[in-house]
Amino acid sequence: MPAKPDPSADAILAALTAVLPGLAAPFGRSCEVVLHDYRVPERSVVAVAGEVTGRHVGGAMSEIGLSVLARGDEAEPILNQLTRTPSGRLVKSSTLPLRDARGRVFGALCVNLDATALQQVGDLLRDLVGGTAQPTPTTFADDVEQVLDAVIRAETPGDPTALTRADRLPLIAALDRRGVFRLRGAAPRVAARLGVSRASLYADLAECRRNPDHRTEPTA
């Protein structure tokens, strides 16, 4: 069982909650600051200032948060990542892992800037500045089920229930790398989406963790 963060985590969250509105205010309506407690990933959002991605207190972490959770205490800041919400808004996101007094990652402070209004200008200037970065579709949702579905869709192009075991193993390995199985109750949810029993899912996951050869892309 992983060690629990020390009580300093709660003090850090309380302090940041108090200053969240002040962090978002200078950027006006184009900025949203979200505070996450990764100790409860299914309800990780503990405070929100601003309105860009539609996050609400009690909502789940995004795919970006999952990638931080997957790195554990080795997580580093993810800065200026271009993403696109399902509604089409272009967002520049920065995710800063939060550490307790013992150096363990327990949450994150996320800053989301709505860059949609600047997109046309950016398109005109792209050739001049040589930028090639493309936004990554990202699911910002309060429901962890939607985030889980988005991660599975990103890793397999077709119907996940139609995969053979040989193709299912790389998918499970990819989900494991992305931190999916750190979510409470993720295994039975993934098993249902893949059309396999919970026991089969656990056996496949154990096989993936034993054998790095499964770390390839699924073929169907």
Side-chain angles (χ1 to χ4, degrees), residues 24 28-34 48-56 89 91 112-114 142:
R29 291 177 295 176
S30 64
C31 180
E32 171 190 85
V33 183
V34 185
V48 181
E51 175 74 29
V52 172
T53 65
R55 315 309 301 281
H56 298 91
R89 298 174 84 175
V91 178
N112 300 313
L113 292 175
D114 187 349
D142 286 334

Side-chain angles (χ1 to χ4, degrees), residues 43-63:
R43 301 182 305 280
S44 71
V45 179
V46 297
V48 181
E51 175 74 29
V52 172
T53 65
R55 315 309 301 281
H56 298 91
V57 171
M61 63 172 54
S62 70
E63 295 153 80

Side-chain angles (χ1 to χ4, degrees), residues 152-194:
I152 292 176
R153 286 196 304 270
E155 292 294 342
T156 184
D159 178 4
T161 64
L163 296 175
T164 65
R165 185 171 188 265
D167 288 333
R168 189 170 67 242
L169 289 174
L171 171 60
I172 292 172
L175 297 179
D176 194 25
R177 289 196 305 277
R178 294 183 65 162
V180 165
F181 295 108
R182 290 177 178 260
L183 294 173
R184 185 180 306 134
R189 291 168 172 166
V190 173
R193 286 161 173 77
L194 299 184

